[in-house]
Amino acid sequence: MTETPSGSQPESPPLIDKGDDLTAWLADKANEGNVVRTRLKASERVIARVTDGIYRQPSSALRELISNAWDADANNVTILTDAPRFSRIYVRDDGAGMSYQTLSRLLHSIGGSAKRREEGQALGVTAEDDPDMTPGGRPLIGKIGIGLFSVSQLSRSFRIVTKVKGADYRLIAEVRLRAYSEDDDDDSARDDDDQFISGDVYITREVSADLQAHGTDIVLDDVKPRVRDLLRSADRWRALEDKEAALKDGDVDTAAGIRVEAPQYHSGWIADLSESPDAPTVLTTPAKLPWSQDDPPSGRMARLMDAVEREFTRVERPDLATALDSYLEMLWTLGLSVPVGYVDKHPFDLTGASGVKLFWISNEARGQAQELALAPNQSVRQAVREQVSSKPSLKEGLPTAAGAFRVEIDGVEIKRPIRFKFVKTEKRGLEHPMLFVGRYSPALQKVDASQRGGGLQLEAYLFWNGRVVPKENNGVLIRIRGASGALFDATFFKYQVSEQTRLRQITSELFIRRGLDAALNIDRESFNFSHPHVQLVASWLHRAIRQLTNKHKDISQKLRTERRAEDSAVEQDAVRNFSRSVWERRQGNEPAPAVTIAKDAARAQAAREEGSFALIRNEIPILTSASGEVERRDRDAKAEALVRVLAAFNLLSERSYTEQQEIVEAILRVFFGPGEQ
């Protein structure tokens, strides 16, 4: 792409409202350098609300633009802001760009996307043989056709510069949006086919000598004041200023009532934005970023994660918002939302060297997870393919024909802030994390087409850890075609079983490879829970959680048993050593007597003839009533030690074998309970 022009318009450019007429005008080389005016139109009345706010945060609008770049087969997206001022936002991608046909249709059919339709194939925005895929072979994210106009949440006016590879022209569109009102009776806002005009666009076709250039730029020179305040955490910094002023005035009560703390990491704060954006920036509070200037863009998200993890060593479960300002939190949110790689590696690419225990999730209603062996150099994908009977091949996270997808914001390469390293909390808890992976593609052919909502296919993982860091990564995150509008759902789609401790230790992602997007609401951040796909996905997820919790309980129980045995063995040795030390103090160098607990009288007599003290187990109920092997060994050790201590004080000498046993039995009953008489 070449440098974006200023975009000045003549006083009264011609107005062309019909899509075919606009396409023809833009196709005519004789119009190069001239400006034409058209008006944006929404296909349905509800779509016009895009200019009134269907997105909750600025990050949502940027997420949609990044998704558009993905759908355009871009390999690189660059977003620049003038942080911490945030008066300007510039988005550039090296995707396919838009031809005059595509741009004309886009402007006149907001909410009527050509993607996943035959029309998209004709326009070249989808693959020739599959309308659900991009020409480069990526699964399409967009569907509704309002992604570009999500920028209306950031600014009422913006500029689009776009070019298709091989074309000898580029298009520059100056977009000026108007707010939609339910009570708008102005006939000028309505046309004959009940479409609703959402703004004006001034388009210029310009000659481009660089035929190989391609991509789209979106330039916002006038970000809305409230958006700027959100990005720069204005409410928070102003509250901190009020708190500091109250303390300075000695008003402790007012200061105590302002329950806000400065973020540990932030992009800085400018209290007075009245100066020109081109003037030198004077920071009220200098930035404190978690990376240094020497860190490459590819490593800065890892530094951000490191900083957040350090906060979670300082405070047990702080909010992510406590550690970061709104701008850094936006980077984190975008990392979770857009189709980029992980800070470290994809969970399906983990190997046995990570220490993770691997399990395959059963799709049966009452099935149990299958444990898989994971060699140090073997990936999860390989282990699943080699050990699961159906030989499944996990596709999520593998490269596509369109190549890598890289997003950089202000020198930070955005990556998915999820790590799979073990955090142990309980001193005697599990010694390793657990990774449960699975695939699900229900056979819905027998379900009426009007009820099944199309096909459904997913891949997924559930990662159990001693503690989820940060806590916002606890829950399930639904990715449809690589992207997510919502963040982690800590309820796991309203899982009803009381598993509060274990649920707080799970991070899960469901990679929806087919289906479910019809259940997405228009904001792409919530679901229609009555859609059959939502019900199917929730049911599968709940089965997977049950398998995880059952396996966790089994392993925990076995571990507790093993540790009880280890503890008991240590205690038994301590008891025996104590009894020997008592013997040495009382009897000097005389060898300590052997003590035998015999199964019956004959074996007891044989042991006595060899010089041992002997007890007959069957005649001492306190020894036979032990529950389990560990308790039996524990009582035996204490019985042996008791005999040795009594012998050290000569309390058993000159007594019959029967009396010796009765003394030992009586003392044991004092400590272990009377038992049966």
Side-chain angles (χ1 to χ4, degrees):
M1 299 291 295
T2 56
E3 186 177 347
T4 302
S6 61
S8 59
Q9 296 90 31
E11 292 184 2
S12 57
L15 172 64
I16 301 179
D17 258 350
K18 296 297 183 181
D20 291 343
D21 294 343
L22 180 62
T23 299
W25 192 97
L26 293 173
D28 190 348
K29 289 188 176 182
N31 290 319
E32 284 179 343
N34 297 326
V35 178
V36 66
R37 173 176 168 243
T38 190
R39 290 180 291 186
L40 296 173
K41 294 182 180 180
S43 296
E44 299 178 16
R45 184 171 182 141
V46 68
I47 305 300
R49 292 184 181 276
V50 69
T51 60
D52 285 335
I54 63 169
Y55 300 109
R56 297 178 178 89
Q57 296 292 335
S59 60
S60 301
L62 295 179
R63 176 196 73 210
E64 295 301 317
L65 295 181
I66 294 168
S67 295
N68 277 355
W70 167 273
D71 286 350
D73 283 331
N75 298 117
N76 298 282
V77 181
T78 301
I79 300 176
L80 299 174
T81 75
D82 57 345
R85 184 179 290 276
F86 297 109
S87 61
R88 298 168 176 167
I89 298 177
Y90 178 89
V91 182
R92 165 171 287 187
D93 72 61
D94 61 356
M98 289 182 281
S99 66
Y100 52 80
Q101 299 101 320
T102 305
L103 180 63
S104 176
R105 190 196 184 286
L106 173 69
L107 298 175
H108 289 139
S109 301
I110 304 172
S113 175
K115 297 174 184 177
R116 310 199 204 180
R117 300 170 59 182
E118 291 183 1
E119 187 177 1
Q121 293 171 303
L123 290 172
V125 298
T126 67
E128 293 182 358
D129 58 346
D130 188 348
D132 279 344
M133 305 293 285
T134 71
R138 290 174 178 164
L140 282 165
I141 296 173
K143 180 177 181 181
I144 300 174
I146 60 174
L148 179 62
F149 295 94
S150 61
V151 295
S152 66
Q153 305 303 289
L154 307 177
S155 177
R156 289 294 185 203
S157 63
F158 56 93
R159 185 161 63 258
I160 304 171
V161 184
T162 187
K163 184 184 178 299
V164 175
K165 185 176 181 179
D168 60 358
Y169 68 91
R170 62 174 181 169
L171 301 174
I172 301 99
E174 293 277 351
V175 182
R176 299 176 182 177
L177 298 171
R178 65 183 294 275
Y180 171 76
S181 171
E182 193 73 50
D183 299 324
D184 195 343
D185 295 326
D186 183 3
D187 290 339
S188 67
R190 185 186 304 270
D191 72 2
D192 293 339
D193 59 0
D194 201 33
Q195 290 180 321
F196 286 77
I197 299 167
S198 304
D200 295 314
V201 186
Y202 297 86
I203 309 173
T204 305
R205 169 178 168 144
E206 288 188 351
V207 175
S208 175
D210 186 356
L211 298 182
Q212 297 304 306
H214 57 91
T216 299
D217 297 354
I218 298 175
V219 185
L220 296 85
D221 282 323
D222 188 17
V223 177
K224 294 178 181 179
R226 185 53 190 161
V227 173
R228 297 178 69 182
D229 280 352
L230 286 172
L231 287 171
R232 67 196 195 100
S233 304
D235 291 345
R236 186 174 187 175
W237 288 111
R238 287 168 183 156
L240 286 166
E241 290 175 346
D242 291 343
K243 184 175 183 178
E244 184 178 347
L247 288 172
K248 187 176 181 179
D249 293 339
D251 189 351
V252 178
D253 291 339
T254 297
I258 302 175
R259 299 183 179 278
V260 62
E261 299 293 337
Q264 294 297 311
Y265 300 93
H266 54 83
S267 58
W269 164 243
I270 304 173
D272 184 7
L273 289 177
S274 61
E275 296 181 0
S276 167
D278 296 321
T281 298
V282 179
L283 290 169
T284 307
T285 302
K288 181 184 177 184
L289 298 170
W291 53 79
S292 71
Q293 292 299 318
D294 295 332
D295 287 320
S298 60
R300 294 189 177 187
M301 281 294 285
R303 300 290 79 77
L304 179 60
M305 280 210 76
D306 293 342
V308 170
E309 289 171 358
R310 283 195 297 271
E311 283 300 294
F312 280 74
T313 60
R314 186 178 65 87
V315 182
E316 183 178 0
R317 282 179 70 83
D319 293 331
L320 192 63
T322 302
L324 309 177
D325 70 349
S326 296
Y327 172 69
L328 294 178
E329 192 176 359
M330 180 186 74
L331 300 186
W332 186 286
T333 299
L334 286 172
L336 291 176
S337 302
V338 300
V340 293
Y342 289 81
V343 163
D344 293 334
K345 61 171 58 178
H346 196 288
F348 295 167
D349 294 322
L350 293 174
T351 65
S354 68
V356 70
K357 295 295 183 182
L358 179 62
F359 301 85
W360 179 253
I361 299 168
S362 169
N363 289 331
E364 300 298 324
R366 297 187 177 277
Q368 296 298 317
Q370 172 191 354
E371 184 169 3
L372 307 179
L374 190 60
N377 295 320
Q378 184 182 38
S379 72
V380 168
R381 299 179 196 276
Q382 293 169 333
V384 166
R385 188 167 56 251
E386 294 170 8
Q387 298 177 48
V388 177
S389 59
S390 60
K391 307 295 182 185
S393 180
L394 297 173
K395 303 292 187 183
E396 189 64 32
L398 294 176
T400 66
F405 186 66
R406 183 174 177 272
V407 179
E408 186 174 307
I409 301 179
D410 294 334
V412 180
E413 183 179 348
I414 302 301
K415 296 184 179 181
R416 203 169 298 178
I418 305 174
R419 278 176 168 159
F420 303 96
K421 64 181 184 180
F422 186 46
V423 179
K424 185 176 180 180
T425 52
E426 299 178 33
K427 183 178 179 181
R428 311 210 68 185
L430 267 61
E431 298 290 343
H432 51 75
M434 298 192 299
L435 182 69
F436 290 72
V437 298
R439 289 185 65 188
Y440 181 52
S441 183
L444 302 176
Q445 292 83 355
K446 295 182 179 179
V447 180
D448 187 89
S450 63
Q451 300 295 320
R452 65 174 178 252
L456 177 66
Q457 185 183 92
L458 65 84
E459 296 176 358
Y461 76 84
L462 287 81
F463 181 72
W464 177 90
N465 205 348
R467 183 171 65 170
V468 174
V469 179
K471 73 175 185 180
E472 283 83 357
N473 283 8
N474 169 223
V476 60
L477 188 146
I478 308 297
R479 292 192 179 281
I480 299 178
R481 298 168 174 261
S484 174
L487 299 181
F488 283 95
D489 170 20
T491 73
F492 291 90
F493 270 37
K494 302 177 182 178
Y495 186 65
Q496 298 297 318
V497 180
S498 180
E499 289 283 358
Q500 292 306 310
T501 299
R502 289 185 179 88
L503 289 183
R504 289 175 61 180
Q505 297 172 322
I506 299 173
T507 294
S508 175
E509 290 182 272
L510 271 56
F511 307 108
I512 310 298
R513 300 186 59 80
R514 184 183 179 191
L516 194 65
D517 54 353
L520 271 175
N521 292 325
I522 192 172
D523 61 359
R524 297 187 63 85
E525 297 178 3
S526 58
F527 292 96
N528 172 8
F529 273 80
S530 65
H531 194 281
H533 283 183
V534 176
Q535 304 299 317
L536 286 168
V537 168
S539 178
W540 183 89
L541 174 64
H542 296 170
R543 288 199 303 272
I545 292 174
R546 284 195 292 272
Q547 292 178 42
L548 183 153
T549 55
N550 288 341
K551 190 65 67 173
H552 185 275
K553 290 174 184 176
D554 290 345
I555 293 174
S556 297
Q557 180 59 43
K558 291 177 182 177
L559 186 61
R560 284 193 293 270
T561 300
E562 292 172 0
R563 286 174 175 165
R564 278 200 299 268
E566 292 172 1
D567 292 345
S568 180
V570 171
E571 185 177 350
Q572 291 162 25
D573 288 342
V575 167
R576 291 187 177 102
N577 291 336
F578 173 75
S579 68
R580 291 189 179 97
S581 69
V582 172
W583 175 270
E584 291 173 0
R585 289 198 305 270
R586 298 293 302 180
Q587 302 294 333
N589 294 328
E590 185 73 18
V595 180
T596 300
I597 299 178
K599 185 176 181 180
D600 51 39
R603 295 179 186 180
Q605 183 59 34
R608 289 167 183 152
E609 290 175 356
E610 294 178 358
S612 295
F613 280 97
L615 302 175
I616 303 172
R617 182 183 300 281
N618 293 339
E619 295 180 1
I620 304 177
I622 202 67
L623 298 182
T624 58
S625 64
S627 59
E629 183 67 16
V630 173
E631 187 174 353
R632 184 190 68 77
R633 291 179 180 177
D634 181 62
R635 293 189 179 186
D636 283 0
K638 290 177 180 176
E640 294 172 16
L642 177 58
V643 169
R644 196 170 290 114
V645 168
L646 293 174
F649 285 90
N650 298 316
L651 296 176
L652 298 180
S653 59
E654 299 182 0
R655 294 185 182 276
S656 66
Y657 295 142
T658 300
E659 284 182 310
Q660 291 178 5
Q661 187 158 288
E662 287 176 351
I663 291 171
V664 171
E665 180 185 4
I667 295 173
L668 289 175
R669 285 189 176 186
V670 169
F671 294 101
F672 292 109
E676 297 180 3
Q677 299 298 319

